[in-house]
Amino acid sequence: AGEPLETTPVGRLPFPERGYVVDLPPGMAVSRSAFRVTENGRPVENVDVAALGTAGINYGTVLAIDTSLSMKGEPLTAALAAGRSFVAHRANGQQIGLVAFDGRVRVLRGLSQDAGGLTSLLSQSPGVAFGTRIYDGLDSSLSVLEQAKLSTGSIVLLSDGADVGSESDLDAVIAKAQAHHVRIFTVGLRSKAFAPAALQKLAAESGGSYAEASSTDQLASIYSALGQRLAGEYVVRYRSNAMPQSDV
């Protein structure tokens, strides 16, 4: 349909091996023969294509959830239910971590494939507090991914407001995500304090996407769609013919 493909470099591949995670438009599935790769305009031979879950690389996603006071009650309950929906739709082998942020930042769970344990954590409230340290929450989420030495990672962040109290700033977090090839998918939940501009910028400049929920009822479907999207990605790998230190 003319929509651009989203590609993210796979880290931790020794040169001249190169790899990319390819994110197709929603609802699209293709065969291996549909992929054609050129490098500096020249066709690449012996391209290996595999679904993300069978590609043999380490990958994971951190769910970062706003637990500020404005999320108390129904919003947080719906956010946790959406997180459980994401876990249910994860790809084979996908590791998931949990981070909560308000005036504090708490790593509730490092990256794990234990669906039962993750679902259990997402079935109980982590508590709420004053503050909305979005950028610090993202910085901690990036650290969780970095410590796991993944080949590719992503963050799904939910917030109903603007940043309050972070020591990190927006541009620094974006630069760190770009340096580590981490995509940030942001979900904005409309509230009185809602300010989508930063969430939109985080998604656009990291290669992720932004989704907006006008009510808590929409969160589960947004997270389910994100889970299915990430689970349906492909990994394309090949051996580069480029010389070391050359532009590709």
Side-chain angles (χ1 to χ4, degrees), residues 1-5 25 28:
E3 294 186 45
L5 297 179
M28 178 182 286

Side-chain angles (χ1 to χ4, degrees), residues 56-244:
I57 64 172
N58 292 324
Y59 64 102
T61 301
V62 173
L63 302 182
I65 301 173
D66 183 346
T67 54
S68 59
L69 287 175
S70 59
M71 290 288 291
K72 185 176 182 179
E74 183 182 350
L76 183 56
T77 299
L80 295 172
R84 295 195 297 271
S85 177
F86 186 92
V87 171
H89 288 94
R90 78 194 193 288
N92 179 46
Q94 183 180 11
Q95 303 176 63
I96 295 177
L98 303 175
V99 169
F101 61 91
D102 39 52
R104 312 152 292 172
V105 176
R106 290 156 290 155
V107 177
L108 303 179
R109 184 70 178 265
L111 289 172
S112 171
Q113 294 187 49
D114 178 10
L118 290 163
T119 300
S120 178
L121 272 175
L122 289 165
S123 298
Q124 49 191 311
S125 173
V128 297
F130 176 78
T132 314
R133 292 169 59 183
I134 294 174
Y135 310 144
D136 288 349
L138 283 171
D139 193 58
S140 290
S141 299
L142 287 165
S143 295
V144 168
L145 294 172
E146 185 178 1
Q147 290 166 9
K149 302 186 184 304
L150 301 178
S151 295
T152 185
S154 57
I155 298 170
V156 176
L157 178 138
L158 167 70
S159 180
D160 72 339
D163 185 90
V164 178
S166 280
E167 295 180 3
S168 303
D169 63 47
L170 175 60
D171 291 334
V173 168
I174 290 173
K176 187 174 181 179
Q178 291 173 338
H180 291 88
H181 307 301
V182 172
R183 292 169 297 164
I184 302 173
F185 298 86
T186 54
V187 180
L189 176 60
R190 284 193 169 275
S191 70
K192 294 180 180 179
F194 185 58
L199 299 181
Q200 292 168 342
K201 182 175 181 178
L202 283 162
E205 297 193 17
S206 68
S209 64
Y210 169 75
E212 190 170 300
S214 58
S215 71
T216 56
D217 293 339
Q218 297 176 339
L219 290 180
S221 61
I222 289 174
Y223 270 67
S224 176
L226 278 173
Q228 292 175 352
R229 172 180 173 177
L230 294 176
E233 293 177 323
Y234 292 84
V235 175
V236 175
R237 297 177 62 170
Y238 67 93
R239 188 175 180 87
S240 174
N241 290 319
M243 296 296 292

